[in-house]
Amino acid sequence: MLFSALKDDGYGAYAPDPLFLKIPPGWPKPATNIFAKNKLTEQGFQLGKKLFFDGRLSKDNETSCASCHQQFASFSTYDHDLSHGVHNSFSTRNAPALVNLAWMTSLHWDGGVNHIEVQPLAPITATNEMGEQLDSILIKLKKDTVYSRMFKAAFGDPQINSQRMLKALAQYTGSLVSSNSKYDKVKRGEASFNAYEQNGYEVFKARCTGCHKEPLFTDNSFRNNGFALNRFKDIGRQQITNNKKDSLKFKVPTLRNVQVSFPYMHDGHVFSLYQVMEHYRAGIIITQPTLDSSLKNRIPMTNKEKNDVVYFLYTLTDSSFLKDARFAPEQIVMRKYSN
Amino acid sequence: MIRLNSSIKFYSSVGLLFVAVFTMTLSSFEKAPDKNGTLRIIFINTANGKPVILRDSLYVNAFGEQYSISKLKYYISNVLIPGSGQLPENDSYHLLNAAEANNNFELSLKEGAYNAIQFLLGVDSLRNCTGAQTGGLDPTNDMFWTWNSGYVMFKLEGTSSSSAADLQRIEHHIGGYKGDNIVAKLIHLNFPATQLLQIKEGGTTQLTIELNLDNYWKNAVEIKISETPLCMSTGILAKKMASNFPGLFSVKSIQSKP
C-alpha cells in the first residue's frame, strides 16, 4: 500500500471503498459468496458498470451488454422474443433478466455457465451476440486512458487484462439486487395485498412455489415445462449434460419483475402472462417423457384464479430497482463515429 | 484413521490438523532456509520418432492413417516431486503450446535426489469453476469453453485424408471436469534408479519429458481418425480419448548443470 502510494504512475492513489452485498431480511444466504475472491468495491462496481454499457466489448463497437439487458426490463430485452446481435443477427434464446444473480447456482437457460465471472465470455464471443474476441476488446480498452485510471482505482495498478475486466463486470451484475417490490413490502409489513393479489398469492403458494420458490421465485433447478421442441431444436440442459433425461429441461426463471421481462420462456415465444397461465392450465404437452412430474396433470385453475395469480405476479415488480440511478449509465455514450 | 462419529469430533480433528500444519510451518520458518536448486521441466512432442512440427510434417498413426498437426496445446498442473516435502505447486497452471519456442517451466526444489515426478494433465475440477482466471488459464488462450464452462485440457487440431469431416479436419478439444466426465489424468513417471533427479544448491537440473503422439491414437483404447475426427464437447467420447493420456508421457532425459 505504502509502496504503491509512493510510486506515481500518473493515475492517482489507490484507495478503494469497500462495499458489501446486503442480504435482504428473510432471504437465504447465497449458495456461494461470489465476492469471496473478487473484493466488492465502489471503484470495481463503477468500472463494471462502465464496461457493461460500453459497445466496444462487441465487434461493431455498438452492441454492449446493456443492448440486450435493459434496466427498465429488469435487465432483459424489452418486448423482444430474441435479442439482436451484431450484423443484424438474432440469438436463439430470450435474454434472461439479470436480477439477484448472487443467489443463482448456475447461469444461462441451460445452466452451462458455472460462475458469474465467466458468463460474459459467452455473449461477448458468440457471433450472433457481440461477436468479438477478447484480445481485440483488451486492445480497445488499453487505448482509453479513462480505463487505465479506472482499472487502477479498482485493482491497484493500471494493468488491463481479461480477468480484471470479468471481475469488474461481476461486481456490477452481482450487485443487481431487486428486493423492494410490493411483495417485499407486504412481507415487511409496510403494505398489504388487495383481495385479488391476496387470492392470487394463495393460489401461487399452493400450485407454483414447487419451482418458483420464495423469496427468489426460482429454485435454480432445470425442468421441462411441456413446450414442444422449437425450430432451433433447442434441447436445453441436455446440451450441457449429454444426458437424455435432461432433454427439453430449462432453468426455472425468477419471477421477480416478470411483468416487464416479457416475452417469456427460453425462446420468448409466449408473449403475455395470461398466455403463460393458459399454457400451465391447458397447453402442457403431457406426453413428453421428461415432463416435470409436478405438471403431469397440468395446473388446474379457474378463470378467476388465473387472473388473480397474474395480479399477484404484478406485485413482484420493483420499480425502485428498475429506475435505480445507481445501476444506470453515467451518461449516454455515443460512439458511432469514434475509433 | 479414527472413525469420526460426530461433526464436533470432525471439526476438532480438523482444528488439530490446522494446529499441526501451523506448527510445522512455524518450525520450518525457524530452520535455516532450505538449500534450493532449480528444476527446469521441458516438454517435447514427438510422433513417429520425430519432433512434432506444426503445419509441416506428415505423420502416420498405428492404423496407417496419415495426418498433419496445426495445433497442439495442453495443460500441465499440480506438479509434485514425491519426497521433496513440497506440496504440489500452488496456483501454477502451465499451458504447453507446440507453437511456442519455449515449452518449459521452472520450479524451485530442495537439494536432494528424487526418483519420480507426478503431475496432472489438465486443470483440476476446482479451478474449472472458480471464476475468471489469468496467466495460463486466461480465456484469451482459447482453451476455455464459454457456452459450457470449463477448460479444454488437451487440444489437437490438424488434417487427415482419413477424416470425413469438413476440410478433412481433425479437431480434438478434450475437456470435462464434472463427475463422470472428468478427463484430467494424474501422470506418474519414475526415474531410473541409475539416474535419479539430482538437485544441487544454486544449480539447474533439466528434466525433459516426451509426449509421444503415437500413443495418443493407440494405447489403452484405439482412436481412429476415420471414426473420430472430431471431439469438441465433454462426455463419453472425450472420456474415452482421455484414457490414452497416461501413456503419452515418458522421461526423455535428465541433465544436471552446476
Side-chain angles (χ1 to χ4, degrees):
Chain A
M1 275 295 281
L2 187 64
F3 181 73
S4 61
L6 290 171
K7 197 177 123 197
D8 186 10
D9 54 21
Y11 294 113
Y14 174 52
D17 302 307
L19 296 176
F20 299 95
L21 182 73
K22 280 186 201 141
I23 298 175
W27 284 31
K29 273 192 176 172
T32 51
N33 179 1
I34 58 168
F35 298 123
K37 289 183 176 171
N38 182 17
K39 203 167 151 270
L40 187 59
T41 64
E42 177 64 20
Q43 288 73 11
F45 171 89
Q46 292 297 341
L47 172 58
K49 181 160 86 170
K50 183 173 170 63
L51 290 163
F52 189 84
F53 287 94
D54 194 334
R56 284 175 287 184
L57 268 60
S58 68
K59 186 85 179 166
D60 64 6
N61 290 326
E62 291 188 41
T63 312
S64 68
C65 306
S67 307
C68 302
H69 295 286
Q70 302 160 317
Q71 185 178 4
F72 53 86
S74 194
F75 295 94
S76 69
T77 317
Y78 196 76
D79 198 14
H80 281 62
D81 53 351
L82 304 172
S83 306
H84 302 181
V86 294
H87 308 312
N88 297 310
S89 57
F90 273 114
S91 61
T92 59
R93 285 190 184 147
N94 181 254
L98 306 185
V99 56
N100 305 333
L101 299 181
W103 283 265
M104 307 229 166
T105 48
S106 63
L107 302 158
H108 285 190
W109 280 104
D110 55 23
V113 173
N114 66 14
H115 197 288
I116 190 170
E117 288 172 15
V118 296
Q119 191 285 332
L121 294 170
I124 282 173
T125 57
T127 51
N128 61 345
E129 295 186 52
M130 295 159 82
E132 186 54 295
Q133 293 183 348
L134 274 179
D135 294 335
S136 310
I137 294 169
L138 296 175
I139 289 168
K140 288 187 254 183
L141 298 186
K142 283 172 185 172
K143 281 184 189 163
D144 185 343
T145 54
V146 173
Y147 271 120
S148 305
R149 191 176 300 280
M150 292 182 80
F151 273 79
K152 160 82 189 268
F155 296 109
D157 69 65
Q159 193 201 340
I160 294 175
N161 63 28
S162 76
Q163 185 184 42
R164 287 179 170 186
M165 180 182 86
L166 295 168
K167 282 186 182 287
L169 278 166
Q171 292 202 23
Y172 173 71
T173 55
S175 299
L176 301 172
V177 176
S178 173
S179 64
N180 202 30
S181 63
K182 181 172 183 182
Y183 161 85
D184 297 295
K185 288 174 186 165
V186 171
K187 285 283 163 184
R188 296 197 298 256
E190 298 162 15
S192 49
F193 288 136
N194 67 30
Y196 306 107
E197 293 161 349
Q198 185 65 44
N199 185 47
Y201 184 37
E202 299 305 329
V203 175
F204 185 88
K205 279 194 288 188
R207 299 172 213 177
C208 310
T209 48
C211 307
H212 296 287
K213 194 178 167 210
E214 297 174 77
L216 293 152
F217 291 89
T218 172
D219 65 353
N220 283 317
S221 64
F222 302 92
R223 298 173 191 255
N224 175 353
N225 64 346
F227 287 100
L229 183 67
N230 70 13
R231 61 198 183 282
F232 305 115
K233 309 278 182 250
D234 190 345
I235 52 174
R237 183 74 177 154
Q238 186 188 349
Q239 205 180 328
I240 300 303
T241 62
N242 292 322
N243 187 340
K244 277 184 183 167
K245 287 179 187 164
D246 289 328
S247 171
L248 292 173
K249 289 185 184 175
F250 294 90
K251 190 173 173 194
V252 174
T254 178
L255 301 180
R256 287 191 168 267
N257 302 304
V258 71
Q259 183 180 12
V260 297
S261 65
F262 69 99
Y264 305 107
M265 305 304 151
H266 61 276
D267 53 8
H269 85 280
V270 183
F271 237 80
S272 75
L273 282 174
Y274 291 98
Q275 288 172 307
V276 173
M277 302 308 293
E278 196 51 36
H279 168 75
Y280 285 118
R281 179 164 78 169
I284 291 171
I285 303 169
I286 52 175
T287 51
Q288 285 177 348
T290 60
L291 181 70
D292 198 71
S293 58
S294 64
L295 298 174
K296 273 179 190 157
N297 302 315
R298 301 192 173 116
I299 303 180
M301 272 178 282
T302 65
N303 283 342
K304 176 171 166 45
E305 284 171 337
K306 191 173 108 173
N307 289 342
D308 288 353
V309 169
V310 173
Y311 283 129
F312 166 69
L313 292 176
Y314 290 165
T315 73
L316 299 176
T317 304
D318 177 355
S319 52
S320 64
F321 172 77
L322 302 175
K323 292 176 186 163
D324 193 337
R326 184 163 167 71
F327 300 138
E330 295 301 309
Q331 62 199 50
I332 304 285
V333 185
M334 298 293 284
R335 201 164 292 287
K336 187 157 186 164
Y337 301 106
S338 64
N339 277 330
Chain B
M1 275 298 286
I2 306 159
R3 192 159 162 238
L4 304 167
N5 294 320
S6 70
S7 57
I8 295 168
K9 250 187 188 169
F10 174 70
Y11 284 117
S12 62
S13 311
V14 170
L16 276 176
L17 186 65
F18 274 130
V19 170
V21 169
F22 189 58
T23 320
M24 278 161 63
T25 316
L26 275 183
S27 58
S28 68
F29 275 125
E30 284 160 9
K31 274 194 305 190
D34 287 327
K35 294 174 174 176
N36 279 355
T38 302
L39 169 62
R40 180 182 300 139
I41 306 176
I42 301 173
F43 281 81
I44 59 164
N45 309 303
T46 64
N48 303 162
K50 296 182 288 184
V52 167
I53 301 172
L54 300 183
R55 300 174 194 280
D56 182 72
S57 305
L58 279 176
Y59 309 97
V60 186
N61 68 13
F63 314 104
E65 298 171 315
Q66 269 197 340
Y67 65 98
S68 69
I69 304 169
S70 56
K71 269 186 200 172
L72 177 60
K73 295 161 89 175
Y74 48 93
Y75 282 107
I76 300 291
S77 69
N78 293 279
V79 178
L80 171 71
I81 306 291
S84 66
Q86 283 172 263
L87 291 168
E89 273 189 301
N90 197 19
D91 251 2
S92 281
Y93 295 84
H94 308 280
L95 177 59
L96 284 304
N97 182 352
E100 304 277 341
N102 292 321
N103 271 299
N104 66 70
F105 54 89
E106 293 183 350
L107 303 177
S108 177
L109 205 61
K110 258 192 319 197
E111 220 179 36
Y114 304 104
N115 61 8
I117 183 171
Q118 190 176 294
F119 55 86
L120 195 69
L121 174 61
V123 178
D124 48 273
S125 296
L126 182 63
R127 193 49 70 106
N128 272 271
C129 45
T130 35
Q133 306 293 321
T134 190
L137 296 176
D138 194 305
T140 54
N141 293 324
D142 199 24
M143 292 289 276
F144 187 79
W145 275 317
T146 59
W147 57 279
N148 188 1
S149 302
Y151 283 93
V152 174
M153 315 274 183
F154 184 101
K155 181 183 271 193
L156 182 145
E157 291 182 17
T159 53
S160 168
S161 52
S162 301
S163 164
D166 179 44
L167 300 174
Q168 300 195 315
R169 251 182 245 269
I170 303 170
E171 204 154 314
H172 291 171
H173 299 178
I174 302 174
Y177 71 91
K178 278 182 270 191
D180 287 344
N181 289 334
I182 291 176
V183 298
K185 296 281 182 195
L186 200 60
I187 312 289
H188 187 99
L189 300 174
N190 289 317
F191 306 133
T194 52
Q195 201 189 6
L196 296 178
L197 182 76
Q198 303 280 354
I199 299 289
K200 298 248 160 62
E201 186 187 6
T204 298
T205 304
Q206 205 161 276
L207 166 66
T208 305
I209 296 175
E210 177 179 351
L211 181 156
N212 184 351
L213 276 179
D214 295 346
N215 295 340
Y216 178 79
W217 309 104
K218 188 176 179 190
N219 193 28
V221 293
E222 298 189 343
I223 306 296
K224 289 182 182 154
I225 297 168
S226 59
E227 290 166 4
T228 315
L230 309 176
C231 176
M232 298 177 293
S233 59
T234 65
I236 294 165
L237 178 62
K239 207 172 144 81
K240 178 187 167 190
M241 298 186 64
S243 52
N244 278 349
F245 286 170
L248 290 178
F249 297 95
S250 61
V251 175
K252 176 87 174 167
S253 68
I254 301 173
Q255 289 173 300
S256 292
K257 293 173 181 177

